[in-house]
Amino acid sequence: MMALPPTVDLQTANRVLSIGRSTGYGLAKRGEYPCKVLKLGNAYRVVTADLQRLVALDDTAKEPVPVMPPQDHRNAAAPHEEVTRRCCCHCRCCSP
């Protein structure tokens, strides 16, 4: 995404934001798209810098997305109530 041009078409921005085609065009038409959208004739263009800021890939973003270190829950000491339940991937690695 860092190699994108200054503006991208609405379909590209929709894919980055996981927005469906109809929803994306509806938001752009109503002026409610989460990024700055330029209407050039019949085409919509999304400002890449706004898109990057929204997904926190820009170094100048006001609130960077925190990165959590991966957890190895197989060797971690968990509270009793967590040990008795199965892990989220159903591999039973958290089971006693």
Side-chain angles (χ1 to χ4, degrees):
M1 184 159 137
M2 297 304 286
L4 292 174
T7 62
V8 294
D9 59 55
L10 196 61
Q11 290 176 323
T12 301
N14 288 344
R15 282 193 303 269
V16 169
L17 298 174
S18 299
I19 297 175
R21 183 181 187 279
S22 298
T23 301
Y25 277 93
L27 290 170
K29 185 177 181 180
R30 293 189 304 271
E32 298 174 358
Y33 203 81
C35 301
K36 183 172 182 166
V37 176
L38 307 172
K39 181 150 185 191
L40 305 172
N42 291 332
Y44 291 105
R45 301 292 292 179
V46 177
V47 177
T48 303
D50 286 350
L51 187 61
Q52 289 172 335
R53 253 192 287 320
L54 184 64
V55 296
L57 291 179
D58 188 2
D59 290 338
T60 61
K62 292 179 179 143
E63 295 181 31
V65 177
V67 177
M68 300 296 291
Q71 295 180 347
D72 184 8
H73 55 269
R74 293 177 193 164
N75 297 327
H80 178 66
E81 45 294 337
E82 288 186 36
V83 173
T84 58
R85 67 177 177 84
R86 291 185 184 152
C87 100
C88 59
C89 63
H90 305 291
C91 67
R92 298 183 183 185
C93 61
C94 293
S95 297

